[in-house]
């Protein structure tokens, strides 16, 4: 899956190599004013600095799996991050720390760690995109998130042009967020991950994964078994990229799970029970906060799997949280219109506001 995102998308103009639809998993997005590929951290720094000297806006784009680009494209330089590689930078009897270049395809990295007997990433198998994007989003799935194993991020600080390292404690990691998200200041060059030397996964925390593995929550399983089970679960939800499956032409989950204070959750609960919808699926968060299922909210607000929008977009037939360019020829505006419709419908039904998970470039809901 290393280069699946770089294949020209159906509906993109093959005569226009600057069309960003060619470089996003949604297969959407207009052209960049300038498009340049960088195959090393040094090249990334060089091209960003050159664009700054030209007084051009800069967009850093790697796997294109968590970004929605507007139909007007990007009015500046888009740097395609194509750096590759990983190396061990520290180790002891129990752990190994690997430094991974920002453009390394994420699932290739996960496969390598499993093959080497390094535990910590196995439940993040099958996620599209690049290693450099994972701290930005604080990527997580099936009970693991990268905040638990990142020790630091090597960056270019665009504010003063310096190169440096942001330690994990200073990354501002939160649910699907960090200091890097929604900020143009930082360019991620590489990421350090500390992994455990173990043939077994970490304790399985996610009930769905435990059921798929036939174990109890908290049990540990061989790394390869955990990876295989996660890949099967993700594929069943259309969350593993497949050039032949339009359900995968998405950014994965379009909305984050809302995190509500106790009063907002009780209001949601009363509305759900009053409408005979049952208890809203929820998990305890930090303090007195409660995280609730965005997929449940969307479904119970009347937007089921496969729900069509106008202009060739639709909710995935496999997963309620994925909005897809199902026709392959849709526009970003059609997708954004569907997202607004869903957001507004959920708010009207439950008084809960959904927020987009991907980064929106030159578009907004």
């Amino acid at each position: 899956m290393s280069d699946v995102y770089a294949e020209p998308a159906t509906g993109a103009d093959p005569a226009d190599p600057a069309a960003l639809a060619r470089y996003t998993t949604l297969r959407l997005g207009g052209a960049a004013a300038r498009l340049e590929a960088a195959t090393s951290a040094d090249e990334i720094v060089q091209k960003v600095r050159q664009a700054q000297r030209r007084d051009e806006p800069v967009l850093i784009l790697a796997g294109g799996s968590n970004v929605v680009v507007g139909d007007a494209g990007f009015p500046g330089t888009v740097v395609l991050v194509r750096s590759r590689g990983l190396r061990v930078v520290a180790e002891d009897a129990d752990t190994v720390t690997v430094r991974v270049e920002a453009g390394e395809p994420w699932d290739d990295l996960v496969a390598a760690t499993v093959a080497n007997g390094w535990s910590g990433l196995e439940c993040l198998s099958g996620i599209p995109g690049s290693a450099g994007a994972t701290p930005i989003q604080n990527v997580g799935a099936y009970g693991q998130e990268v905040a638990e194993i990142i020790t630091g991020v090597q960056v270019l600080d665009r504010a003063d042009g310096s190169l440096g390292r942001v330690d994990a404690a200073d990354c501002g990691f939160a649910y699907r967020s960090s200091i890097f998200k929604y900020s143009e200041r930082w360019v991620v060059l590489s990421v350090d991950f500390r992994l455990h030397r173990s043939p077994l996964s970490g304790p399985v925390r996610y009930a769905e994964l435990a059921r798929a593995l036939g174990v109890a929550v908290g049990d540990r399983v061989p790394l390869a078994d955990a990876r295989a089970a996660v890949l099967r679960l993700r594929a069943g939800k259309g969350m593993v990229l497949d050039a032949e499956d339009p359900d995968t032409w998405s950014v994965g989950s379009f909305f984050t799970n809302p995190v509500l204070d106790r009063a907002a959750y009780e209001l949601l609960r009363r509305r759900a029970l009053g409408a005979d919808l049952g208890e809203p699926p929820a998990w305890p968060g930090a303090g007195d906060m409660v995280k609730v299922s965005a997929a449940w909210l969307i479904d119970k607000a009347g937007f089921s799997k496969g729900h069509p929008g106008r202009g060739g977009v639709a909710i995935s037939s496999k997963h309620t949280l994925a909005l897809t360019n199902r026709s392959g020829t849709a526009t970003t505006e059609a997708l954004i219109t569907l997202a607004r419709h869903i957001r507004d419908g959920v708010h009207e039904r439950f008084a809960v506001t959904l927020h987009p998970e991907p980064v929106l470039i030159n578009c907004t809901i």
Side-chain angles (χ1 to χ4, degrees), residues 275-327:
D276 293 326
L277 298 176
E279 291 276 356
W283 304 268
D288 203 33
M289 306 300 282
V290 180
K291 182 167 69 174
V292 299
S293 168
W296 186 91
L297 293 169
I298 291 168
D299 182 68
K300 299 306 181 183
F303 304 99
S304 56
K305 294 175 185 177
H307 179 90
R310 295 181 178 178
V313 298
I315 293 177
S316 166
S317 68
K318 301 181 180 73
H319 198 296
T320 316
L321 275 178
L323 308 188
T324 68
N325 173 14
R326 188 161 188 81
S327 66

Side-chain angles (χ1 to χ4, degrees), residues 107-172:
D107 197 56
D108 289 0
L109 169 63
V110 177
T113 63
V114 169
N116 280 301
W118 300 337
S119 174
L121 298 180
E122 58 280 354
C123 292
L124 303 178
S125 294
I127 295 175
S130 68
T134 60
I136 297 172
Q137 182 74 4
N138 186 16
V139 164
Y142 295 103
Q144 288 182 336
E145 63 180 19
V146 295
E148 300 170 342
I149 52 174
I150 287 176
T151 61
V153 182
Q154 285 64 237
V155 298
L156 166 65
D157 186 343
R158 289 168 60 182
D160 60 15
S162 65
L163 301 178
R165 171 187 166 95
V166 181
D167 290 333
D170 299 317
C171 287

Side-chain angles (χ1 to χ4, degrees), residues 96-316:
V96 58
T97 300
V98 293
R99 180 163 297 168
V100 185
E101 297 302 310
E104 182 70 17
W106 177 253
D107 197 56
D108 289 0
L109 169 63
V110 177
T113 63
V114 169
N116 280 301
W118 300 337
S119 174
L121 298 180
E122 58 280 354
C123 292
L124 303 178
S125 294
I127 295 175
S130 68
T134 60
I136 297 172
Q137 182 74 4
N138 186 16
V139 164
Y142 295 103
Q144 288 182 336
E145 63 180 19
V146 295
E148 300 170 342
I149 52 174
I150 287 176
T151 61
V153 182
Q154 285 64 237
V155 298
L156 166 65
D157 186 343
R158 289 168 60 182
D160 60 15
S162 65
L163 301 178
R165 171 187 166 95
V166 181
D167 290 333
D170 299 317
C171 287
F173 287 129
Y175 173 59
R176 300 297 174 268
S177 187
S178 70
I179 64 167
F180 310 113
K181 193 171 183 179
Y182 307 124
S183 172
E184 296 182 353
R185 178 177 177 180
W186 312 102
V187 178
V188 174
L189 303 175
S190 62
V191 187
D192 292 349
F193 300 93
R194 181 183 290 135
L195 305 165
H196 291 280
R197 297 182 186 274
S198 174
L200 299 179
S201 70
V204 176
R205 301 172 183 167
Y206 206 77
E208 182 186 21
L209 179 57
R211 288 193 297 271
L213 287 162
V215 300
V217 171
D219 286 351
R220 304 174 71 192
V221 300
L223 292 174
D225 291 356
R227 173 170 166 77
V230 169
L231 288 172
R232 287 194 300 271
L233 288 171
R234 290 186 63 86
K237 299 174 182 178
M239 295 293 191
V240 177
L241 290 179
D242 182 346
E244 303 303 318
D245 183 359
D247 271 335
T248 73
W249 304 347
S250 74
V251 291
S253 298
F254 193 92
F255 295 105
T256 58
N257 291 321
V259 179
L260 308 178
D261 62 29
R262 183 59 59 176
Y265 173 69
E266 289 302 329
L267 175 60
L268 165 63
R269 185 171 177 274
R270 288 196 300 271
R271 289 194 176 200
L273 293 175
D276 293 326
L277 298 176
E279 291 276 356
W283 304 268
D288 203 33
M289 306 300 282
V290 180
K291 182 167 69 174
V292 299
S293 168
W296 186 91
L297 293 169
I298 291 168
D299 182 68
K300 299 306 181 183
F303 304 99
S304 56
K305 294 175 185 177
H307 179 90
R310 295 181 178 178
V313 298
I315 293 177
S316 166

Side-chain angles (χ1 to χ4, degrees), residues 321-362:
L321 275 178
L323 308 188
T324 68
N325 173 14
R326 188 161 188 81
S327 66
T329 58
T331 63
T332 301
E333 183 55 33
L335 187 90
I336 291 296
T337 298
L338 175 59
R340 291 184 189 126
H341 186 46
I342 294 168
R343 178 201 61 191
D344 294 347
V346 167
H347 189 270
E348 181 179 357
R349 184 74 188 270
F350 296 114
V352 174
T353 300
L354 296 180
H355 297 283
E357 183 166 326
V359 176
L360 307 182
I361 303 297
N362 218 3

